Amino acid sequence: MQKVIEVSQYEQERGKPMPSKLHGRIQLKLGTALENAYGNKYSLFSELSLNLNDWDSVPDLSIYPKMEFTYSEDEVELTEAPLCAIEILSPSQSLQELIVKARKYFSYGVKSCWLVIPLLKNVYVFSSPDDYQIFRDTQTLHDTVIDVRLELSKVFS
């Protein structure tokens, strides 16, 4: 007998898994740590809608080269790939789904992709679809592609 998986209204409307309390907390702390350390060098976004050659995606966080903002003009989605896409595993997602998504990001020009695994307090930093490093909560993450260093103890505390 096949198991029926119910998809929440949130997931139907947004086309992405429902985040959890832990997911939301890590997303906030990671975004804040990145903004505090690299806000002068990069433009960082949370939940930014991307349309990359007709592939729609909404990474939890994305890192772009520094850009100017005009508050009287807004954009609903960007068509330029970020330098780095960051995805945080949600309870309703599989790791396989995130790995497939990371590979897709690279095929559209993303230079670096982070997969955050909250329950293990690990971050997988991919520099290509098949090349990655694993950083634990007690380590300093170093993304050599975008030259970012981040103490993960600040994110997972």
Side-chain angles (χ1 to χ4, degrees), residues 1 7 17 39-40 55 58 66 76 80 93 97 109 117 127:
M1 176 181 275
V7 178
N40 291 331
W55 177 56
V58 182
K66 193 69 176 170
V76 176
E80 179 184 337
Q93 269 181 314
E97 287 175 70
I117 316 299
S127 56

Side-chain angles (χ1 to χ4, degrees), residues 20 25 42 46 52 63-64 80 92 98 104-106 109 115 126 157:
S20 64
R25 181 72 179 157
Y42 294 118
S46 174
L52 306 175
I63 302 174
Y64 279 86
E80 179 184 337
S92 62
L98 280 190
K104 207 162 188 177
Y105 280 126
F106 281 107
L115 303 183
F126 285 78
S157 62

Side-chain angles (χ1 to χ4, degrees), residues 56-156:
D56 295 326
S57 183
V58 182
D60 293 309
L61 296 165
S62 51
I63 302 174
Y64 279 86
K66 193 69 176 170
M67 57 178 76
E68 295 297 318
F69 294 96
T70 304
Y71 281 86
S72 60
E73 300 170 13
D74 199 4
E75 296 175 74
V76 176
E77 67 182 13
L78 293 186
T79 57
E80 179 184 337
L83 294 172
C84 179
I86 300 171
E87 293 285 353
I88 303 166
L89 185 68
S90 295
S92 62
Q93 269 181 314
S94 71
L95 182 56
Q96 177 67 33
E97 287 175 70
L98 280 190
I99 292 170
V100 167
K101 199 171 189 181
R103 288 181 183 277
K104 207 162 188 177
Y105 280 126
F106 281 107
S107 73
Y108 287 103
V110 170
K111 305 295 182 208
S112 172
C113 187
W114 301 3
L115 303 183
V116 182
I117 316 299
L119 293 177
L120 299 176
K121 298 181 185 176
N122 286 345
V123 180
Y124 290 66
V125 176
F126 285 78
S127 56
S128 75
D130 299 312
D131 230 2
Y132 63 90
Q133 289 185 285
I134 304 170
F135 296 93
R136 298 183 50 104
D137 63 323
T138 56
Q139 296 176 307
T140 298
L141 177 153
H142 183 204
D143 185 331
T144 58
V145 174
I146 60 172
D147 194 27
V148 165
R149 292 180 188 271
L150 195 63
E151 289 180 47
L152 291 180
S153 61
K154 293 178 181 179
V155 174
F156 293 110

